[in-house]
Amino acid sequence: FVFSLLLALGCTVKYSGYLEHWDEPFCTNCYSKFPGLMKLGKDITLWGLEIGLLTMKKGEVARFVFTPDYAYGRQGCPPLIPPNATVMFEVELLDFLDSNESDAFFELTAEQQDTFPLQKVLKVADTEREFGNYLYRKRHFEGAKDRYKRAFSILGRSPSSEAERCQIDASKLLVLLNLSLTYLKLERPAQALVYGEKALEIDQRNAKALFRCGQACLCMTEYEKARDFLVRAQHIQPFNHDINNELKKLA
């Protein structure tokens, strides 16, 4: 349910963390006048803090108490954090990277979407892909797949020039590769193959796309097709560890 409340992929926060019965924080960034953008799952990895931030609004100040399972666990984080520690964080959410613009775009009719400038469309697609990447890293593959498909759905407009076609194709390629990988994680190799082949229509020498197609065919026990894709990928990246291991698995 937390991810249905997803409001921010990256955020600027002020925070201070305290142990029980401590007056001084064991960690804080409140001494910094201009805290930098921090990405959930990358710069902010404390599970309780991620969940807490996802419930907050811009400008809100909150205090959270996290049990060990949502903080530093049974082991703690020596020497500062003892085992099985309950911690308290005071947090101010200053700013965040949100999906408001993206959500507003998807509320428009198809005709209205077609009038959007290409650069704004590409920005919306990139925002959706970034949200998908966040959900993927959290192993919420269904949610990631839905975000990637939303991104792909708006990239079908007809380009007005060769330069626009190149921009659209570059954005499409990233989304198609992500979709292919996500469908493999969802154990739906037929769909992974479909999106991998769509990526190859844009770039027939894309080693990642060839590798994904090979993986999908291997999962479907289509061994000859798998070998063809993987050997083509190996010709492009002969020293790629993952490709070579997949060929060994196939053999």
Side-chain angles (χ1 to χ4, degrees), residues 9-69:
L9 178 64
C11 55
T12 308
V13 298
K14 285 191 174 182
Y15 64 85
S16 295
Y18 298 85
L19 291 168
E20 285 184 298
H21 312 303
W22 280 36
D23 294 327
E24 295 297 321
F26 62 82
C27 69
T28 184
N29 72 344
C30 288
Y31 303 123
S32 173
K33 189 174 182 180
F34 301 108
L37 183 70
M38 304 176 74
K39 287 190 175 183
L40 300 183
K42 182 179 179 181
D43 305 303
I44 300 173
T45 57
L46 199 71
W47 182 226
L49 193 54
E50 286 189 71
I51 293 174
L53 284 167
L54 291 171
T55 69
M56 294 179 67
K57 299 176 182 178
K58 182 177 177 179
E60 186 176 356
V61 178
R63 179 176 292 172
F64 300 103
V65 177
F66 304 135
T67 59
D69 286 344

Side-chain angles (χ1 to χ4, degrees), residues 2-3 8 28 39 66 77 108 112 121 129 149 163 184 205:
V2 171
F3 293 97
T28 184
K39 287 190 175 183
F66 304 135
C77 190
L108 300 175
Q112 290 172 321
V121 172
R129 186 174 61 83
K149 291 188 84 168
L184 284 172
R205 287 182 53 80

Side-chain angles (χ1 to χ4, degrees), residues 212-230:
R212 301 279 181 256
C213 290
Q215 287 180 300
C217 289
L218 185 57
C219 290
M220 294 187 291
T221 68
E222 295 183 10
Y223 300 125
E224 289 303 319
K225 287 183 67 175
R227 184 182 304 280
D228 177 62
F229 283 120
L230 293 170

Side-chain angles (χ1 to χ4, degrees), residues 55-123:
T55 69
M56 294 179 67
K57 299 176 182 178
K58 182 177 177 179
E60 186 176 356
V61 178
R63 179 176 292 172
F64 300 103
V65 177
F66 304 135
T67 59
D69 286 344
Y70 290 88
Y72 297 94
R74 296 179 180 179
Q75 303 300 319
C77 190
L80 282 177
I81 313 297
N84 291 312
T86 295
V87 299
M88 186 269 286
F89 271 78
E90 292 179 343
V91 182
E92 180 181 0
L93 180 56
L94 303 175
D95 205 352
F96 55 83
L97 173 66
D98 66 43
S99 63
N100 286 338
E101 186 175 2
S102 177
D103 292 338
F105 177 86
F106 282 102
E107 290 176 1
L108 300 175
T109 65
E111 292 76 14
Q112 290 172 321
Q113 289 180 5
D114 285 340
T115 64
F116 251 57
L118 177 62
Q119 294 308 313
K120 284 195 173 184
V121 172
L122 294 175
K123 182 181 177 183

